[in-house]
Amino acid sequence: MDARWQPVVQTTVDHLRIRVYKSRDAMGAAAAAEVVNKMKEVQARKGRVRMVFAAAPSQNELLMHLCRAEGVDWSCVEVFHMDEYIGLPEDSPQRFSYYLQEHLFRHVHPGQVQLIRPDGDPERECTRYAQLLSEAPIDIVCLGIGENGHIAFNDPGVADFNDPAVVKSVCLDEKCRQQQVNDGCFPDLASVPQTALTLTVPALMSADHLIGVVPGPTKREAVRRALTGPVSEDCPASILRRHQDGVLYLDTVAYGVSEYAGD
């Protein structure tokens, strides 16, 4: 790997491996290399790969480097996304399906693209999408962490570490909705939908491999709570520490290097 992509901090919290980089680009490049390695391993073993992607500006660098990666047979890849707003027009650029189409799918052309379709009956869509996800094990999940500590749209107060559902409809808390404004996705809080469909925590945790990408100063407190606090639904991302093959890629700003003893 390019020397520029070497981590400045490597550590482990419970089972979760932590890799910290000087820049967002280095973080994204290193995370993409990890994803590609896992994809090739799974393809060699199973002949196909089933993946779930997060859709947010925090994932820009990861997806950019994935699009540039060589040696991946995307025709053998089935892709899903982990959440979607309810109530946005089908062609809205704020839709997560639109983001992933623009940043990944139209560049690499996966063999199968399974999009959440929240229009119409959301509960029926939960059932339909859960059936697709449950047809075979999920191999890789690429995710982020929200400013409130959520994973997908499992906000504090909604997240259930023992949720029996695979996909569910949720009401988004105000901090989660404000993050969408902070990210530049919506002009103001009133424009952000109040409800969404999301994969549940157990659905995300069921994947064989978890790869998280979390840059930026607005994520620092959530990262701190996830890594140093109790494993609790009050900070849903803390559950990542219990996954048997999870790695979290951060930049120094999100990690707050000087705040951690010994770093």
Side-chain angles (χ1 to χ4, degrees):
M1 181 180 291
D2 191 308
R4 294 171 297 174
W5 300 350
Q6 294 301 314
V8 296
V9 176
Q10 297 188 73
T11 188
T12 302
V13 179
D14 297 332
H15 297 292
L16 183 64
R17 290 170 285 141
I18 314 300
R19 303 290 183 265
V20 183
Y21 297 82
K22 288 184 178 180
S23 71
R24 286 181 64 135
D25 186 65
M27 172 204 67
E34 175 82 5
V35 173
V36 168
N37 286 339
K38 294 297 184 186
M39 291 175 71
K40 290 179 178 178
E41 289 175 11
V42 175
Q43 282 182 341
R45 187 172 72 252
K46 301 169 87 172
R48 66 168 182 161
V49 185
R50 305 183 88 224
M51 302 179 68
V52 178
F53 286 96
S58 64
Q59 306 301 297
N60 286 354
E61 291 79 15
L62 165 67
L63 300 184
M64 177 184 69
H65 285 283
L66 270 183
C67 290
R68 298 173 178 175
E70 298 179 353
V72 177
D73 183 0
W74 283 92
S75 69
C76 298
V77 181
E78 182 177 13
V79 293
F80 299 83
H81 57 126
M82 60 183 57
D83 42 23
E84 186 61 272
Y85 295 114
I86 296 172
L88 289 179
E90 188 172 352
D91 60 352
S92 171
Q94 286 91 357
R95 277 205 178 191
F96 295 137
S97 57
Y98 181 94
Y99 171 91
L100 287 172
Q101 292 279 18
E102 290 299 303
H103 286 81
L104 183 64
F105 300 158
R106 73 181 182 91
H107 301 284
V108 298
H109 309 296
Q112 290 181 276
V113 176
Q114 307 290 5
L115 300 179
I116 299 173
R117 302 196 295 260
D119 311 298
D121 185 342
E123 295 308 316
R124 182 175 296 177
E125 179 60 8
C126 287
T127 299
R128 183 193 74 87
Y129 209 65
Q131 289 174 341
L132 289 173
L133 286 160
S134 301
E135 287 178 355
I138 297 298
D139 300 301
I140 303 168
V141 165
C142 298
L143 78 169
I145 295 175
E147 292 177 18
N148 65 356
H150 71 211
I151 49 176
F153 270 146
N154 296 283
D155 292 332
V158 169
D160 180 352
F161 289 172
N162 299 297
D163 203 318
V166 176
V167 184
K168 66 181 180 181
S169 59
V170 294
C171 294
L172 306 177
D173 74 18
E174 185 169 318
K175 188 169 184 179
C176 170
R177 294 174 62 232
Q178 182 61 47
Q179 177 184 326
Q180 314 311 314
V181 180
N182 298 345
D183 284 347
C185 300
F186 292 89
D188 51 50
L189 187 63
S191 303
V192 184
Q194 298 186 28
T195 56
L197 302 185
T198 184
L199 272 65
T200 61
V201 173
L204 298 171
M205 292 289 287
S206 72
D208 289 340
H209 312 288
L210 287 180
I211 299 166
V213 175
V214 188
T218 62
K219 303 296 181 69
R220 183 179 298 186
E221 177 59 18
V223 168
R224 186 194 65 77
R225 293 180 62 209
L227 299 184
T228 67
V231 176
S232 165
E233 291 160 353
D234 291 336
C235 182
S238 62
I239 193 66
L240 300 177
R241 287 155 48 187
R242 292 185 175 168
H243 197 276
Q244 294 300 308
D245 189 23
V247 56
L248 193 61
Y249 287 84
L250 308 166
D251 63 3
T252 54
V253 182
Y255 187 66
V257 169
S258 62
E259 298 177 9
Y260 290 78
D263 293 341

